[in-house]
Amino acid sequence: MSTERDSETTFDEDSQPNDEVVPYSDDETEDELDDQGSTVEPEQNRINREAEENREPFRKECTWQVKANDRKYHEQPHFMNTKFFCIKESKYANNAIKTYKYNAFTFIPMNLFEQFKRAANLYFLILLILQAIPQISTLAWYTTLVPLLLVLGVTAIKDLVDDVARHKMDKEINNRTCEVIKDGRFKVAKWKDIQVGDVIRLKKNDFVPADILLLSSSEPNSLCYVETAELDGETNLKFKMSLEITDQYLQREDTLATFDGFIECEEPNNRLDKFTGTLFWRNTSFPLDADKILLRGCVIRNTDFCHGLVIFAGADTKIMKNSGKTRFKRTKIDYLMNYMVYTIFVVLTLLSAGLAIGHAYWEAQVGNYSWYLYDGEDDTPSYRGFLNFWGYIIVLNTMVPISLYVSVEVIRLGQSHFINWDLQMYYAEKDTPAKARTTTLNEQLGQIHYIFSDKTGTLTQNIMTFKKCCINGQIYGDHRDASQHNHNKIEQVDFSWNTYADGKLAFYDHYLIEQIQSGKEPEVRQFFFLLAVCHTVMVDRTDGQLNYQAASPDEGALVNAARNFGFAFLARTQNTITISELGTERTYNVLAILDFNSDRKRMSIIVRTPEGNIKLYCKGADTVIYERLHRMNPTKQETQDALDIFANETLRTLCLCYKEIEEKQFAEWNKKFMAASVASTNRDEALDKVYEEIEKDLILLGATAIEDKLQDGVPETISKLAKADIKIWVLTGDKKETAENIGFACELLTEDTTICYGEDINSLLHARMENQRNRGGVYAKFAPPVQEPFFPPGGNRALIITGSWLNEILLEKKTKRSKILKLKFPRTEEERRMRTQSKRRLEAKKEQRQKNFVDLACECSAVICCRVTPKQKAMVVDLVKRYKKAITLAIGDGANDVNMIKTAHIGVGISGQEGMQAVMSSDYSFAQFRYLQRLLLVHGRWSYIRMCKFLRYFFYKNFAFTLVHFWYSFFNGYSAQTAYEDWFITLYNVLYSSLPVLLMGLLDQDVSDKLSLRFPGLYIVGQRDLLFNYKRFFVSLLHGVLTSMILFFIPLGAYLQTIGLDTSYWTFVNAFSIFGSIALYFGIMFDIHSAGIHVLFPSTFQFTGTASNALRQPYIWLTIILTVAVCLLPVVAIRFLSMTIWPSESDKIQKHRKRLKAEEQWQRRQQVFRRGVSSRRSAYAFSHQRGYADLISSGRSIRKKRSPLDAIVADGTAEYRRTGDS
């Protein structure tokens, strides 16, 4: 057993997943994974490998070639790919984006082809052809042609309107402009005309039109600041830096025009964080990485201009490669409706066959012996029966509802406009309304089981706010005056005394200002001085105002807080930093910056004061700071209590500390630091070891508490959606601590929640797999599967899992391919069979493991997946779709969410931010997460109920109308004669019966929008498919059969009135539709039986005066009343009994709607704080990436006069540099 198991497992199971890192990129090759280890190989294989390497002198992964300023180079024959037969196109995509489906020439043929792919439309086309055969048809051809043309026309117009909108959107993007070098000069060109190899110029606040190599910029050393909100939803700036040689020589227009560099790089892929390539120029090669690439969708910030070389364009750009495959989405009701139409086809065929057999029998027994029935044709009874089969297919064709699809589209279009017009989903602050970007999925909004949400920019605003702090054991940040008296209502602190205050900080503790200004406690001033000096923020001045650029919003919030409290960071050079301390400017020498990384979870700075003292200032996560504190720290416990309080308030915390360093101690340490900085191997590990020596015996100053600001109404929305039995999963690239913290903030997690992490899940799944393996024996396939829960009943559980653990658990880890060159030799059939079986067992194991994971996760009340890639987000959504058969919704705001949005049944984009890539790929968009509750609980629920009622009545009315011909057949020798006149059949679905059901499908509502939000439990009917299913369909069928009997045996149609019994929301429009349809029927009937129309069309309208003569007869009116009564009374009785004895939740709320009109106010769940007991740790407020320390210490970020290239000292290998002796 163990041998077999080992042979199946080819995954790398040796390494423990790392919670801090995002797993490998989506397209990472197995060869890249091999770099981490080496394998001893046999001598013969080594010889073979070397021979192959000698035959391939070029790098396999760098096959994309770009020549600057040379478009003809990319048009060479060997760069052309065959597209269709002999038609060839370049492998280099142009920069035009195309999302539309049709053009002026293809619209009619392609649209008709798509429409006739629908079974109903194709059926009616065949029916129209059959009706042109006189021997078969007893109906005029126009009875089918008119409805068919109407259906095709309305659908075509709707598709045309949608595609025109796509054309406009594409045109808007493709016609954006930038400057491109043409004929030796920069000329304005449209985005769509940009090609690979072009050199372009971008200005401040411009969008990047393609993936480009940064050549130079207006900033020193060609730095370029970009905002990546379009890609990842984050608004903090990131910096890119060009090669030093391009920075030096490619600043002027003439040098850029003559630039002839050649680039070899990787093929287009979806890895946002990685790029590998080489620039060949001036007989030298220069390595390229992701830090030198500007991706399409980024925005140039704080950089006057920059120049770049286009590497990837259009569909080859990383943002487009990351968007995933566009899927054609259809609703659950759509699939069900199609199956029901197929069922009707079968019923129609069986009825027609039965009646045809009846006609053949009748002809044999009666027709052949009745001389007065002779029609001049000597056909056999069986042949006549065959013709009558097709005749009944035509007569009973209205059982298959030709106008069903177009009616559904009209209703969906109206419901989409209701979403667009909803003022309660309009975000006035950014002038952003809700937008239904599709018209085909509305009722599916009422059936959602799982919501998959991004965090940054979706649940949160990505805005960090300084809320509280603890200094010397004293907590500041509550509402209190300068005398330490607490007040519920108090004005916020006035910072007008501080000339550097930005006026954006809302703070209410006046006592802290009193402490700073009085200077009674020196620790308070030192606390804010530390915030002003210990960071890697960069600063510039615009119109006299300070502008900070931070590597993370957390760090920016802390420096801004220090600025408002009187300690403003003003400037920095390579070896100094200038601070304004309560109006007094002081400059400090920076001796070393010990930067942050995810392992250290802290950063430090060593400075020399103007007085000559050396001090170390440090900030970091409490878990690492407390380990490095001096034993004699009197406020250690008070600060710990404060941290527990901040954690319970879901604030992000940092501990602040310092120490004084002797000159001799620093000199000794600095030697080790400089040696580690230039180490050629294991440099990072050497630096970390040196840092550890100096970062000890620290004096604790206090702690900061920052709020990662949630969007308005997020906890309330999540609470209401949970009551509607909708489960919410958070999928984010953020780190585990931050994601967990946000889970508590938005109340997905509570103090009572038992949290399971990756290692817990792995052990549970391993035990389950072992049990399933042991249970699986010879008779396993005959035993029913046992569905055992993973957790005991009761209790509130949540799952928090990182991307690395997700790959480990789902067996998605990539295999390390051996570097041994395998010799090709023929294998036996037995070996091939064993290999195939092993592969199948491996796939079966993987599938079972994934199914078990989904079952386990679905037992939890909340799931948070952190440090996941865009591909993993889509994978998680797909797993739930595949194994739970549940309706899913994904919501996000960045390009990293696009794959997830496209994979889910319904995708929602958060608009109103800078990033619009998610919105472009979504089905619905709005500006705030809180609008999701209204979209689902109001619009989704109403759309589902309306669509279900519409479909039930549509099928019912068609059965009731059509089956009258069936009963009539028993009295006309099964001869396929119609019970109605031709025009009545033609106009029945188009005019007489369409309006009432359409308006009910558009306007009906059982309870108001406020009550729908107040009682989320009403939503469950859609999740359980209670209002439209096969049972409901057959009830409608039976109801239609009974009504058709009444209509035939008590002749005259009265079904129109029955729709009034199920209309919950009566308006003038509903009443007009029902009674207006009746009036329309009588009006048209009088017209087609009038003398005037007989004069115009004597052959078509022959029964002049029939209507008026018939309606003068009293028994006609008596028959109408009797038929209506017989149709309605049973329905009324059943409806009354069901509402009285078995009322639904909706019926109960309707009954007490007046009493329930008062709105229920949502209240945040109360937190229970227990001193000294913290069940969780607040997230440390740092970014995931390393800060700007390299940039600062190397001096490349400082604005200065440009120097010749040979005078620039390249210090790319040194992480830190000593800035000089004081």
Side-chain angles (χ1 to χ4, degrees), residues 807-1087:
N807 279 345
E808 176 83 15
I809 287 170
L810 299 180
L811 303 182
E812 288 286 347
K813 291 185 71 175
K814 292 191 177 181
T815 58
K816 289 188 178 180
R817 189 170 60 192
S818 173
K819 291 187 177 180
I820 301 173
L821 185 69
K822 295 181 179 177
L823 295 174
K824 294 182 179 179
F825 56 89
R827 294 188 178 92
T828 64
E829 192 64 34
E830 180 66 19
E831 284 178 333
R832 287 198 187 95
R833 188 179 63 81
M834 291 291 290
R835 188 179 182 85
T836 303
Q837 287 181 354
S838 176
K839 190 174 181 181
R840 285 177 181 169
R841 281 197 298 268
L842 183 63
E843 288 298 320
K845 175 187 176 183
K846 179 177 175 180
E847 183 177 339
Q848 185 61 51
R849 178 95 164 188
Q850 291 180 345
K851 184 178 185 305
N852 288 345
F853 170 75
V854 172
D855 290 340
L856 185 150
C858 290
E859 287 185 26
C860 299
S861 59
V863 176
I864 298 176
C865 300
C866 41
R867 305 302 271 158
V868 288
T869 66
K871 186 177 180 181
Q872 285 179 312
K873 290 184 178 184
M875 180 186 69
V876 171
V877 175
D878 186 62
L879 286 176
V880 174
K881 282 175 62 179
R882 193 189 319 161
Y883 295 119
K884 301 305 288 186
K885 307 297 181 187
I887 306 300
T888 58
L889 179 148
I891 179 170
D893 71 318
N896 56 347
D897 303 315
V898 168
N899 208 345
M900 169 178 77
I901 285 171
K902 287 184 174 181
T903 303
H905 292 98
I906 290 178
V908 178
I910 299 292
S911 60
Q913 310 293 329
E914 290 295 336
M916 294 294 288
Q917 189 67 22
V919 172
M920 299 279 284
S921 305
S922 67
D923 305 305
Y924 300 88
S925 66
F926 42 69
Q928 294 281 290
F929 181 84
R930 68 175 183 270
Y931 297 146
L932 187 61
Q933 61 174 312
R934 187 167 181 84
L935 182 71
L936 300 186
L937 302 184
V938 177
H939 291 286
R941 184 175 162 278
W942 279 351
S943 296
Y944 173 73
I945 292 174
R946 289 165 178 168
M947 186 60 71
C948 292
K949 283 186 179 182
F950 164 78
L951 290 173
R952 295 205 309 264
Y953 274 102
F954 200 97
F955 286 127
Y956 158 70
K957 75 182 182 66
N958 276 40
F959 293 145
F961 170 78
T962 306
L963 291 176
V964 168
H965 298 300
F966 176 77
W967 307 117
Y968 184 45
S969 299
F970 292 101
F971 298 89
N972 64 17
Y974 311 99
S975 57
Q977 297 299 312
T978 59
Y980 310 117
E981 60 175 336
D982 292 352
W983 279 104
F984 182 79
I985 295 173
T986 303
L987 300 175
Y988 174 77
N989 270 327
V990 176
L991 290 179
Y992 297 155
S993 64
S994 60
L995 201 55
V997 288
L998 270 177
L999 288 177
M1000 185 180 69
L1002 281 170
L1003 301 176
D1004 193 48
Q1005 54 181 253
D1006 54 348
V1007 297
S1008 68
D1009 55 342
K1010 291 182 180 177
L1011 290 176
S1012 295
L1013 291 171
R1014 184 172 176 183
F1015 297 97
L1018 292 171
Y1019 187 82
I1020 294 173
V1021 294
Q1023 294 173 323
R1024 298 179 182 174
D1025 300 321
L1026 297 180
L1027 299 185
F1028 190 67
N1029 47 45
Y1030 260 104
K1031 178 183 175 183
R1032 292 278 189 169
F1033 171 73
F1034 284 114
V1035 168
S1036 296
L1037 175 58
L1038 180 61
H1039 191 188
V1041 170
L1042 296 175
T1043 303
S1044 68
M1045 292 178 66
I1046 296 169
L1047 294 179
F1048 179 73
F1049 293 106
I1050 310 176
L1052 197 64
Y1055 74 92
L1056 283 170
Q1057 286 80 353
T1058 63
I1059 197 170
L1061 294 177
D1062 226 14
T1063 299
S1064 307
Y1065 185 62
W1066 276 96
T1067 63
F1068 168 78
V1069 180
N1070 296 84
F1072 176 79
S1073 70
I1074 292 175
F1075 299 113
S1077 296
I1078 297 172
L1080 185 67
Y1081 163 70
F1082 282 110
I1084 292 176
M1085 185 175 65
F1086 279 115
D1087 283 341

Side-chain angles (χ1 to χ4, degrees), residues 756 758 761 799-803 805-806 809 853 863-866 868:
C756 301
I761 302 305
L799 187 157
I800 297 180
I801 188 168
T802 60
W805 271 111
L806 200 61
I809 287 170
F853 170 75
V863 176
I864 298 176
C865 300
C866 41
V868 288

Side-chain angles (χ1 to χ4, degrees), residues 476-489:
Y476 299 92
D478 295 325
H479 290 62
R480 59 182 175 176
D481 59 23
S483 304
Q484 282 189 278
H485 296 116
N486 290 333
H487 296 275
N488 291 329
K489 293 183 179 179

Side-chain angles (χ1 to χ4, degrees), residues 63-67 70-84 86-95 194-197 267-268 311-316 321:
T63 58
W64 189 263
Q65 298 178 347
V66 178
K67 184 79 176 290
D70 189 354
R71 290 190 172 186
K72 290 183 179 179
Y73 176 82
H74 305 105
E75 296 170 0
Q76 295 181 74
H78 59 275
F79 291 136
M80 307 299 283
N81 295 327
T82 303
K83 183 180 179 183
F84 183 73
C86 58
I87 301 175
K88 293 189 175 183
E89 67 175 5
S90 173
K91 78 170 188 175
Y92 299 96
N94 61 39
N95 206 43
I194 295 173
Q195 294 185 16
V196 171
E267 290 285 324
I311 306 291
F312 304 127
D316 291 335
K321 287 287 185 181

